[in-house]
């Protein structure tokens, strides 16, 4: 029997989630994958006897937690460890650690520590604004229907609600490269490079040409 | 009595334009200039007897036609002569010629690639759409998107509407265009290295970015949005060099009763009770005025000539973070005759245009790699012109003047100041580059003025030698130029204004910042506006 309501090509996490929602709505869904195991970039492989590796993606951070809850992934066996500290190893052994708002080591002075807390606060503000955009389809800008118009209005209002200075910051920062953002905020080299790593991971651009990634 | 209604600091083209419109409205205006001569980066200098160098800016297109006509600059001696042509010489001895005639240009493109020849009209149409979009905003004050003032809201709405009118597809193209790299943008149309490289040059000139850096497609547009005599996208030479622009503006300014004071090196803008009261010179002279307009770049304005205690903290921080990076240098060369380039008949009209030697995006990006490493490009991108082919007044009969704009040159060499040996090394890498394609070039050199960012900063006062007075990236354009909250030409102190290329719409000898700033000042003073509105395009 090869008759389905929908066929999804690729059993990575997005393919599976899409299929799950379709199936949940009562459709008969088939997910196809070229490999022998599902998972795509979100899979685990035993690369030598007894040793396993996250085959491709290595961190779990941007996953929409409302989906975890909605599809009861915990009930289906997903367990998450505590948030890990970021450690930037230094040649002299005085390593730099970033844990939430807290920075230690590598001789980062109180000025940079305070700047880091401010920076995180700003990023979280911006992230909050972006999060609700991730939860919908990107709005059309001209040929919009009421739903697109609502998304755009919410974005505009969200921008206004941030306050004047934050709004000015975000309209400038989305177009700027991480190299300049780091230099505007921090003095400490290892701190700058540790934070900047997130902005260049997976792009083919260097820090001086990368646009902002939240 | 050194009392004026307004003082403008810096007699570059924007300072003179600003002064002219204020004086035209009946104000008593003085324009102060640090150098013994006016013009700033819009000068012609006879540094070798008989030769005139436009030794900073060297071509004209962006100068707003509204201002040219309104201030009757031709009557004051300005004549802009359009030039055509241009070529990129290739390592294999061939070249790509940029012909003005459409059919001839098609055949030249097709000689390199039939596909690229067919893509060219599409590229031109798409790019000119962007030009049309931006041109009406050049002679206007950018609206503040965080403001709730009726004027800002009205302008924003109009701005939004002009974008919406493009339709979904063109609007998305536009957003992509404004954020893309010039390399990616050109890759969408063309396949041939030399064709892409020839066009990509306009995307990096004057910026500390490479052909693959996001935002450089806009820089390309910045070089396309001007016109000569209504011919959009055309470039020309000011007869007698760029100094003719400053000279005609100064005559217009003086015809309205304005006063120019040279050798006036401003030490500080004087402030009392939160309002400006005038300026003090380094020699102790004071000039008093309730309005002071700075035509210096934002860094010099806020960090050099204003007492930090007179400024809000956020302005100091924003001024320090303002991106104004040195990226280019210049050679001005007096030649004993016309150089001959491999594979091109010296009588070919292409010679009168902009000549280049980087035949691929790859080479241009590598040139940028040197800048990132803190040194000048060893295989530099050159924008080379021989203005005397178009304007014979630049050099004695039979001789020629050559202007070589060089990308890239860092503001500091490996973190330290430029030395004379560095300058010689920089000069050598440029002269070698040209000699690789021109066997008789070296023998023709009679005099050469070499300007690294060090010389440009010291002589013209452009911080780091940045020709645009601040990078033209979106974080520093429109309502972000020079920085958010201060993009409407008003400074943070009552009576203090800005009119330099560090404000909207940026550098390139446009004179628009000077005019826009004058309009805002006159509005604050409740004086009738003397600044013309923008002309409608077709």
């Amino acid at each position: 029997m090869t008759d389905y309501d929908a066929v999804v090509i690729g059993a990575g996490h997005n393919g599976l989630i899409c299929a799950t929602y379709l199936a949940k709505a009562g459709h008969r869904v088939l997910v196809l994958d070229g490999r022998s195991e599902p998972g795509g970039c979100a899979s685990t492989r035993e690369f030598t006897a007894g040793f396993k590796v996250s085959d491709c993606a290595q961190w779990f951070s941007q996953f929409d937690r409302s989906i975890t809850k909605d599809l009861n992934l915990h009930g289906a066996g997903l367990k998450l460890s505590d948030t890990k500290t970021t450690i930037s190893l230094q040649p002299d052994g005085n390593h730099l650690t970033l844990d939430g708002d807290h920075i230690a080591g590598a001789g980062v002075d109180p000025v940079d520590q305070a700047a880091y807390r401010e920076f995180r606060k700003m990023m979280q503000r911006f992230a909050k604004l972006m999060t609700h955009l991730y939860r919908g389809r990107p709005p059309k800008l001209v040929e919009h229907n009421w739903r697109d118009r609502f998304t755009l209005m919410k974005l505009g209002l969200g921008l206004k609600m941030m306050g004047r200075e934050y709004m000015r910051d975000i309209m400038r920062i989305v177009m700027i490269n991480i190299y300049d953002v780091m230099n505007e905020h921090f003095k400490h080299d290892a701190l700058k490079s540790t934070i900047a790593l997130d902005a260049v991971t997976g792009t083919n651009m260097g820090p001086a040409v990368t646009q902002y990634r939240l | 009595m050194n009392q004026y209604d307004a003082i403008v600091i810096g007699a570059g083209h924007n300072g003179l334009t600003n002064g002219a419109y204020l004086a035209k409205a009946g104000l008593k205006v003085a324009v102060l200039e640090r150098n013994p001569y006016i013009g700033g980066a819009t000068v012609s200098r006879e540094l070798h007897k008989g030769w005139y160098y436009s030794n900073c800016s060297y071509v004209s297109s962006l100068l707003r036609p509204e201002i040219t006509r309104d201030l009757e600059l031709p009557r004051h001696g300005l004549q802009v002569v359009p030039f055509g042509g241009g070529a990129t010489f290739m390592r294999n001895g061939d070249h790509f010629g940029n012909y003005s005639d459409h059919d001839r240009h098609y055949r030249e493109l097709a000689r390199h690639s039939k596909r690229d020849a067919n893509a060219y009209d599409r590229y031109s149409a798409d790019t000119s759409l962007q030009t049309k979009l931006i041109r009406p905003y050049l002679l206007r004050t950018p609206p503040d998107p965080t403001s709730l003032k009726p004027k800002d809201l009205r302008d924003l709405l109009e701005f939004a509407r002009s974008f919406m009118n493009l339709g979904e597809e063109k609007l998305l193209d536009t957003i992509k265009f404004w954020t893309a790299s010039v390399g990616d943008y050109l890759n969408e149309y063309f396949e041939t290295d030399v064709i892409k490289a020839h066009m990509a040059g306009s995307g990096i000139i004057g910026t500390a970015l490479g052909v693959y850096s996001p935002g450089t497609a806009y820089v390309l547009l910045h070089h396309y949005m001007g016109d000569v005599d209504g011919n959009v996208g055309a470039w020309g030479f000011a007869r007698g060099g760029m100094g003719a622009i400053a000279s005609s503006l100064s005559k217009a300014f003086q015809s309205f009763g304005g006063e120019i004071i040279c050798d006036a090196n401003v030490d500080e803008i004087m402030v009392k009770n939160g309002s400006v009261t005038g300026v003090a010179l380094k020699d102790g002279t004071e000039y008093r005025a309730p309005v002071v307009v700075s035509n210096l770049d934002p860094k010099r304005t806020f960090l050099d000539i204003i007492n930090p205690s007179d400024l809000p903290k956020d302005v100091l921080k924003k001024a320090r973070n303002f991106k104004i990076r040195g990226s280019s240098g210049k050679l001005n060369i007096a030649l004993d005759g016309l150089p001959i380039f491999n594979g091109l008949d010296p009588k070919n009209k292409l010679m009168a245009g902009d000549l280049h030697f980087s035949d691929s995006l790859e080479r241009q990006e590598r040139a940028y790699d040197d800048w990132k490493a803190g040194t000048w490009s060893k295989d530099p991108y050159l924008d080379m012109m021989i203005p005397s082919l178009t304007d014979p007044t630049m050099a004695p009969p039979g001789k020629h003047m050559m202007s070589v704009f060089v990308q890239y040159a860092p503001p500091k060499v490996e973190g330290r100041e430029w030395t004379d040996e560095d300058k010689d090394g920089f000069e050598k890498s440029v002269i070698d580059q040209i000699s690789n394609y021109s066997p008789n070039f070296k023998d023709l050199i009679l005099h050469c003025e070499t300007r690294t960012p060090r010389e440009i900063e010291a002589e013209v006062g452009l911080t780091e030698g940045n020709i645009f007075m601040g990078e033209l990236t979106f974080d520093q354009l429109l309502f972000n130029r020079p920085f958010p909250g201060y993009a409407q030409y008003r400074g943070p102190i009552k009576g203090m204004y800005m009119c330099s290329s560090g404000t909207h719409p940026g550098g390139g000898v446009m004179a628009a910042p000077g005019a826009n700033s004058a309009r805002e000042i006159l509005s604050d003073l409740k004086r009738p506006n003397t600044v013309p509105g923008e002309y409608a395009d077709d």
Side-chain angles (χ1 to χ4, degrees), chain A residues 137 139 143-153:
Chain A
R137 66 174 192 212
E143 301 154 4
H144 39 39
N145 61 17
W146 65 269
R147 217 167 91 191
D148 289 341
R149 213 167 296 167
F150 183 68
T151 312
L152 286 171
M153 268 166 55

Side-chain angles (χ1 to χ4, degrees), chain B residues 31-239:
Chain B
V31 175
L32 307 182
E33 170 57 45
R34 183 189 71 165
N35 283 325
Y37 49 88
I38 61 158
T42 319
V43 287
S44 312
R45 302 196 65 200
E46 190 180 10
L47 295 179
H48 186 64
K49 185 93 187 99
W51 274 263
Y52 292 88
Y53 295 166
S54 293
N55 72 342
C56 282
S57 59
Y58 50 102
V59 277
S60 174
S61 165
L62 298 169
L63 184 66
R64 302 314 307 141
E66 297 88 341
I67 296 169
T68 306
R69 290 184 216 182
D70 187 72
L71 294 180
E72 301 184 320
L73 299 185
R75 190 166 70 81
H76 294 297
L78 178 65
Q79 192 187 353
V80 178
V81 190
F83 65 80
T88 294
F89 297 98
M90 299 163 70
R91 280 165 294 182
N92 64 7
D94 197 358
H95 64 273
F96 168 71
N98 184 22
Y99 291 89
S100 321
D101 179 76
H102 182 269
D103 291 354
R104 181 68 189 88
H105 193 51
Y106 179 88
R107 291 202 302 278
E108 175 68 357
L109 286 158
R111 189 169 73 82
H112 291 276
S113 156
K114 185 94 181 159
R115 183 176 172 270
D116 287 358
N118 290 329
Y120 187 76
D121 281 352
R122 190 162 54 87
Y123 165 80
S124 292
D126 288 353
T127 312
S128 84
L129 176 83
Q130 299 302 325
T131 313
K132 279 191 183 139
L133 206 60
I134 186 78
R135 278 168 63 88
Y137 292 95
L138 299 177
L139 261 191
R140 294 172 76 166
T141 298
D144 179 357
T146 69
S147 156
L148 293 171
K149 284 190 201 139
K151 187 178 180 302
D152 286 312
L153 289 175
R154 205 169 51 233
D155 284 356
L156 272 174
L157 203 70
E158 195 195 319
F159 194 63
R161 201 170 290 143
S162 71
F163 276 82
M164 301 284 269
N165 286 343
L166 292 169
E168 186 77 27
E169 200 185 329
K170 293 275 181 227
L171 176 57
L172 293 178
D173 284 349
T174 300
I175 293 173
K176 205 160 92 179
F177 179 84
W178 280 63
T179 53
S181 73
V182 67
D184 288 339
Y185 181 64
L186 292 167
N187 279 333
E188 289 197 19
Y189 297 91
F190 305 110
E191 61 179 8
T192 311
D193 278 343
V194 67
I195 291 173
K196 287 187 275 191
H198 184 85
M199 296 183 200
S202 297
I204 51 172
I205 284 183
T207 79
L209 294 170
V211 287
Y212 282 113
S213 308
T216 44
Y218 170 76
V219 181
L220 179 92
L221 172 65
H222 199 87
H223 287 99
Y224 280 5
M225 67 193 185
D227 62 286
V228 175
D229 292 336
N231 196 349
V232 176
W235 284 80
F237 293 111
R239 201 172 171 84

Side-chain angles (χ1 to χ4, degrees), chain A residues 141-143 164 168 209 211, chain B residues 144 146 168 213-214 323 325:
Chain A
L141 298 172
V142 179
E143 301 154 4
R164 225 171 172 173
R168 283 179 171 148
V209 296
Q211 272 165 49
Chain B
D144 179 357
T146 69
E168 186 77 27
S213 308
K323 283 191 291 177
R325 298 181 292 211

